[in-house]
Amino acid sequence: MDGGGSRGCLEMWAEENRKLVAQLKNISTLTVNRRDILQQSHASFRKLLEKIQGLPATVPSIPLELNILYNAVVLRLSLSDVNQNDNSLVYEGLVRGLEAYGRHFDGLDIVKLWGMIFQSIHDPAFIQAVDQLIYLQCVIWLVSNQLDKIDAALRILRDRGSSGSGLNAHSDDLLQCIKAGDLLKDRSGSHLMLVQSLSSLGELIYTCALFIRGFRKMEEGNYLEAVDILQQAAEGLCSKRILAEIYTLIGYSSAQMGRPHTALQYFRWALQADIHCLSALYHAAMMYRQLEMVEAELEALNHLYVALESCDQFKAGNHVDSQFLIRPEQLIRIPATCHLLTGVNQVHVKHSLARRFLQIGRVEAAAEHYLDLLASFLEGSQQEVFLVADHTVPRVPEIYLEAAVALLQCQRHNDVITICEEIASKMSSLISEKLTFEIRVNEWLPSNCSEGTEINTSCQSSLLNCFNESQTLRTKKKETLNYILWAATAFLYQGQAFALLRNNKESITNFSRCVNLLLKVQVVGPPDTGVPDDQLESLKENMTELEILQKLKSLAFAGKGMQLAEKGQDREALQNFQLSLQAYPDSREALYLLVQVLWKLKRKQEAVSFWLKSYSSVTKAAAEKMQQENTLKKFPIFLISHLREISTSEEEAVSEKLQEYCSSHSEEKVTLQFLRPMSCS
């Protein structure tokens, strides 16, 4: 093509590029068919780019070609996620530019390619086009969080254009250079040639790079540094959504540093920035919980649940709030494993509401929320849902049991029986005849111990970690243990419900089923190790799962004993109360019931002796628990006793009765103290 024809084509292509840019600049962000227009424009830029690249690259044409390439890639990024093709388009465009100047590059490292261009070519028009593509490449790298490559690219720009400025090589300084406009500036007339300005791309890089860096610091636990970096990011180019997410992360970091009120303020700002930032609303609810602001927590959770019910409407609306084609939310990728900013699960919120109402004693509201939750489970695949739950909520059988607790407290006894039957029937086919665990023992001689065997207590927090078995077998046994505990709890609550319905026979039957099921679990020490039985028992007591099992067993024996006592079978009741206290020695109720039945059987001296013998250990354990923030912290919420609780006045009456007996039958005066410990304050 001769020089005149070439200039004619260049002018025609440049004019076509300007027209396409002008059309896009006139589109409102609220245009209904905005995406369709963007797709059509992208296709037009691609077609124009193909026309130019259909001819050999020349020095006059290459700056325009790279401008059009820039526009095509920006539009593609605005329409979808970044892919490998975007990287290759930028790379191939730069290689064609080198070829236009008679130079070649055989490597694949685009940073080295930039270095070669700046060393060997000094045409201002070409260099300006290359600068644009460097910023665009940085935007592409943001999606994959390649901050090191972005730093390298920005350093090239700084070293080329800002030598002698006194800036050091720290990446923070480089980002501040972008914000100040010191690295690249929009050249005169560029707004007529580019669909998105260089300054806006620079601000995107600034905001997103700081967001990612701050998020990483937060993940590392450097919350103070994370807050400082994220506050800088908030000063950059932020959409409503990104600003809300930044405030949410700052709020979370503040909470981790023990600044709950500061955290709440940032969560409020997040919601002011974007009312649809539901993660901020959720974290605010959790902060209200930490501050024991119950009504505020419930209000936040309720708003969150209502918002989640309408989330489809939110998604359907057009919430584009930026005049720029590429927006920061397209470039920031939070790991799927991080749940700070990911969507809040509707089931989780509903469960949080139900559980919170249960915890504060508003059982009617709790029951209604639980029933709504169970109904939603039944809408899907019942068998799958019953055994598999979202990671943010308890296993579904546990939710059923929590529902049973709420209904039991509401005196909806028949509903309790129905729900528990659902659990028991589903678990029955999954439970083996016997479940045996063998505790692992370290057979080594400590330097400060003369004994030859010591129990390994380094993993007492989980029962299954303490056994000599493969991971697969441990996992299988763990699940079987869960089935047993769930089914046993269901039988326990059925027994209590039948007792409250005055159905003595069915109550005793279900308490017996609970005990028989729990007896399937056996924990033994390995043979021939010489481990003392008392050490083995001590280890077993520190295992959470076994303590839950023993607590269930104690409740079942006590419940059965109470039913037998009502039938006048006091000797059988006595045996069950003894087994209840044996299963869980710290049980005040079991001790009270045992002493009462001994007294009723005219075995008064035994009652006194038992009371005195058991008082010390029981009250000591109870006093320690009263000092804790939550006395049932180690137990799941569904494991709540609904046997008749023993009041202080009842304990005092028993204590006075026993004291009177001791005074008249003992030469040595013994002062009987109340079973219930006084306040530890």
Side-chain angles (χ1 to χ4, degrees):
M1 183 180 293
D2 59 30
S6 176
R7 283 194 297 274
C9 285
L10 281 177
E11 291 174 0
M12 180 179 65
W13 291 335
E15 181 61 25
E16 186 175 351
N17 179 68
R18 281 193 291 270
K19 285 182 178 179
L20 290 172
V21 171
Q23 289 173 4
L24 284 174
K25 294 289 178 69
N26 291 328
I27 299 175
S28 168
T29 57
L30 299 178
T31 303
V32 175
N33 60 339
R34 185 174 187 271
R35 183 173 179 81
D36 293 337
I37 296 174
L38 292 179
Q39 289 175 333
Q40 293 170 7
S41 298
H42 175 251
S44 298
F45 277 114
R46 285 288 301 178
K47 186 176 180 180
L48 180 57
L49 183 63
E50 289 170 2
K51 288 180 185 178
I52 299 178
Q53 292 184 339
L55 298 173
T58 63
V59 171
S61 68
I62 198 64
L64 176 62
E65 178 181 328
L66 296 187
N67 274 348
I68 297 170
L69 172 62
Y70 172 96
N71 290 335
V73 174
V74 166
L75 277 167
R76 216 210 67 76
L77 292 177
S78 72
L79 289 166
S80 59
D81 291 335
V82 173
N83 59 34
Q84 188 60 39
N85 189 46
D86 298 314
N87 287 289
S88 60
L89 280 174
V90 174
Y91 175 83
E92 290 166 4
L94 293 172
V95 170
R96 275 178 60 86
L98 270 179
E99 292 173 352
Y101 289 87
R103 292 172 178 80
H104 300 280
F105 181 76
D106 297 326
L108 296 175
D109 189 336
I110 196 170
V111 176
K112 291 182 179 179
L113 175 57
W114 292 330
M116 181 178 178
I117 289 172
F118 293 141
Q119 288 175 3
S120 58
I121 301 173
H122 304 286
D123 180 356
F126 177 63
I127 294 302
Q128 285 178 346
V130 172
D131 287 345
Q132 294 166 185
L133 293 183
I134 289 179
Y135 262 22
L136 189 57
Q137 183 64 58
C138 288
V139 169
I140 293 171
W141 279 334
L142 278 171
V143 178
S144 53
N145 296 344
Q146 298 186 65
L147 298 187
D148 291 342
K149 289 187 176 181
I150 293 173
D151 288 345
L154 298 181
R155 192 169 290 110
I156 287 177
L157 290 175
R158 187 207 56 192
D159 293 343
R160 178 179 60 82
S162 303
S163 58
S165 65
L167 292 174
N168 59 37
H170 291 311
S171 57
D172 286 342
D173 293 327
L174 294 170
L175 292 175
Q176 292 300 330
C177 286
I178 291 180
K179 191 172 188 296
D182 293 338
L183 290 186
L184 291 180
K185 298 181 183 293
D186 291 315
R187 69 180 188 272
S188 177
S190 64
H191 67 284
L192 300 176
M193 300 295 293
L194 303 179
V195 294
Q196 186 159 342
S197 67
L198 279 182
S199 59
S200 71
L201 280 193
E203 289 186 70
L204 276 175
I205 296 168
Y206 174 85
T207 299
C208 297
L210 285 173
F211 185 109
I212 294 167
R213 186 170 289 117
F215 181 80
R216 286 179 176 176
K217 291 294 182 184
M218 190 192 69
E219 283 192 313
E220 294 168 2
N222 297 328
Y223 297 112
L224 187 60
E225 194 171 350
V227 167
D228 180 60
I229 294 172
L230 290 168
Q231 285 174 335
Q232 294 179 53
E235 298 172 358
L237 176 64
C238 297
S239 64
K240 290 180 180 179
R241 173 180 161 185
I242 288 299
L243 184 59
E245 291 185 351
I246 289 173
Y247 285 150
T248 301
L249 293 179
I250 295 175
Y252 178 81
S253 298
S254 299
Q256 297 305 305
M257 292 189 291
R259 302 171 182 173
H261 295 288
T262 301
L264 280 174
Q265 184 60 59
Y266 274 102
F267 294 144
R268 292 190 193 101
W269 286 342
L271 290 167
Q272 290 172 3
D274 182 7
I275 192 62
H276 307 310
C277 185
L278 302 185
S279 56
L281 188 54
Y282 172 74
H283 288 300
M286 296 303 100
M287 193 52 52
Y288 286 130
R289 177 177 297 179
Q290 181 179 323
L291 294 171
E292 297 184 356
M293 300 171 64
V294 176
E295 293 303 323
E297 176 196 343
L298 292 173
E299 183 180 359
L301 287 173
N302 189 60
H303 284 316
L304 183 56
Y305 185 76
V306 171
L308 286 168
E309 284 188 314
S310 311
C311 65
D312 290 339
Q313 297 176 18
F314 298 157
K315 293 176 183 177
N318 189 339
H319 300 296
V320 176
D321 55 7
S322 172
Q323 59 179 310
F324 306 112
L325 293 173
I326 304 176
R327 298 177 301 282
E329 57 263 34
Q330 295 176 278
L331 306 178
I332 294 173
R333 296 288 186 270
I334 298 298
T337 53
C338 173
H339 306 293
L340 290 175
L341 297 176
T342 52
V344 183
N345 189 295
Q346 193 170 358
V347 171
H348 173 55
V349 175
K350 190 70 170 176
H351 174 257
S352 293
L353 272 170
R355 172 179 276 198
R356 200 69 180 116
F357 277 120
L358 178 59
Q359 288 172 329
I360 64 175
R362 290 161 65 172
V363 292
E364 294 289 348
E368 293 306 317
H369 282 295
Y370 274 119
L371 290 176
D372 289 345
L373 198 54
L374 299 191
S376 69
F377 292 156
L378 297 178
E379 290 174 1
S381 173
Q382 188 173 351
Q383 180 64 29
E384 291 181 10
V385 170
F386 202 85
L387 295 179
V388 180
D390 186 270
H391 67 276
T392 58
V393 294
R395 300 288 295 276
V396 176
E398 295 182 12
I399 296 178
Y400 270 68
L401 292 170
E402 290 177 18
V405 170
L407 291 166
L408 200 56
Q409 292 190 1
C410 291
Q411 300 182 15
R412 296 171 62 170
H413 306 133
N414 288 313
D415 290 337
V416 173
I417 293 167
T418 301
I419 286 177
C420 290
E421 185 59 37
E422 181 81 3
I423 301 169
S425 62
K426 288 187 179 295
M427 295 298 107
S428 60
S429 61
L430 303 173
I431 297 173
S432 56
E433 285 300 316
K434 189 177 181 181
L435 186 62
T436 303
F437 297 105
E438 182 180 287
I439 296 180
R440 183 170 69 242
V441 176
N442 283 343
E443 295 189 80
W444 53 279
L445 184 62
S447 58
N448 61 346
C449 182
S450 60
E451 299 293 333
T453 309
E454 183 169 290
I455 294 176
N456 174 18
T457 59
S458 62
C459 52
Q460 291 181 4
S461 61
S462 178
L463 172 63
L464 269 297
N465 288 336
C466 296
F467 302 114
N468 287 320
E469 292 156 348
S470 68
Q471 181 62 42
T472 302
L473 184 56
R474 284 202 302 268
T475 301
K476 184 178 179 181
K477 285 191 171 186
K478 171 69 172 178
E479 196 67 346
T480 302
L481 180 59
N482 284 333
Y483 300 155
I484 290 174
L485 293 177
W486 294 333
T489 307
F491 285 135
L492 176 73
Y493 289 157
Q494 280 188 319
Q496 293 177 3
F498 278 119
L500 293 168
L501 289 171
R502 302 297 180 186
N503 190 332
N504 206 265
K505 180 180 178 182
E506 286 297 326
S507 179
I508 291 174
T509 298
N510 281 280
F511 285 132
S512 298
R513 286 175 178 170
C514 176
V515 171
N516 292 337
L517 197 54
L518 295 172
L519 291 175
K520 289 177 178 287
V521 181
Q522 300 293 325
V523 180
V524 298
D528 303 325
T529 59
V531 180
D533 290 341
D534 57 342
Q535 286 189 345
L536 195 60
E537 289 302 316
S538 176
L539 178 60
K540 288 161 65 174
E541 288 173 5
N542 284 299
M543 296 176 180
T544 302
E545 294 92 336
L546 283 187
E547 191 161 6
I548 292 172
L549 186 145
Q550 292 301 107
K551 179 67 173 177
L552 281 170
K553 197 182 295 183
S554 175
L555 292 172
F557 276 127
K560 184 178 179 181
M562 290 172 69
Q563 293 304 300
L564 290 168
E566 283 190 10
K567 294 176 65 177
Q569 298 176 243
D570 293 330
R571 294 188 181 279
E572 291 81 356
L574 173 62
Q575 184 180 14
N576 279 273
F577 293 146
Q578 288 173 327
L579 291 170
S580 176
L581 194 60
Q582 180 181 332
Y584 202 77
D586 294 339
S587 172
R588 292 199 316 270
E589 286 74 20
L591 177 58
Y592 175 87
L593 293 167
L594 176 59
V595 169
Q596 285 286 70
V597 78
L598 282 171
W599 191 269
K600 186 178 179 182
L601 290 170
K602 309 298 183 182
R603 295 162 63 173
K604 298 182 179 182
Q605 187 60 50
E606 288 182 62
V608 172
S609 300
F610 213 100
W611 186 276
L612 289 172
K613 177 182 177 183
S614 303
Y615 173 81
S616 177
S617 61
V618 173
T619 53
K620 181 180 178 181
E624 290 174 352
K625 290 180 182 180
M626 287 182 66
Q627 293 175 340
Q628 299 175 2
E629 184 175 338
N630 184 352
T631 58
L632 294 178
K633 189 175 181 180
K634 57 187 170 183
F635 293 128
I637 190 174
F638 63 80
L639 187 55
I640 298 175
S641 172
H642 294 283
L643 302 174
R644 186 172 66 87
E645 294 188 358
I646 310 306
S647 67
T648 303
S649 60
E650 288 176 312
E651 290 178 355
E652 290 176 356
V654 170
S655 187
E656 289 172 2
K657 181 167 57 177
L658 296 178
Q659 178 67 54
E660 183 180 344
Y661 175 82
C662 287
S663 298
S664 59
H665 290 79
S666 294
E667 294 181 2
E668 181 182 356
K669 304 298 183 182
V670 179
T671 301
L672 288 171
Q673 303 179 56
F674 299 146
L675 174 62
R676 190 182 301 274
M678 303 302 291
S679 174
C680 297
S681 58

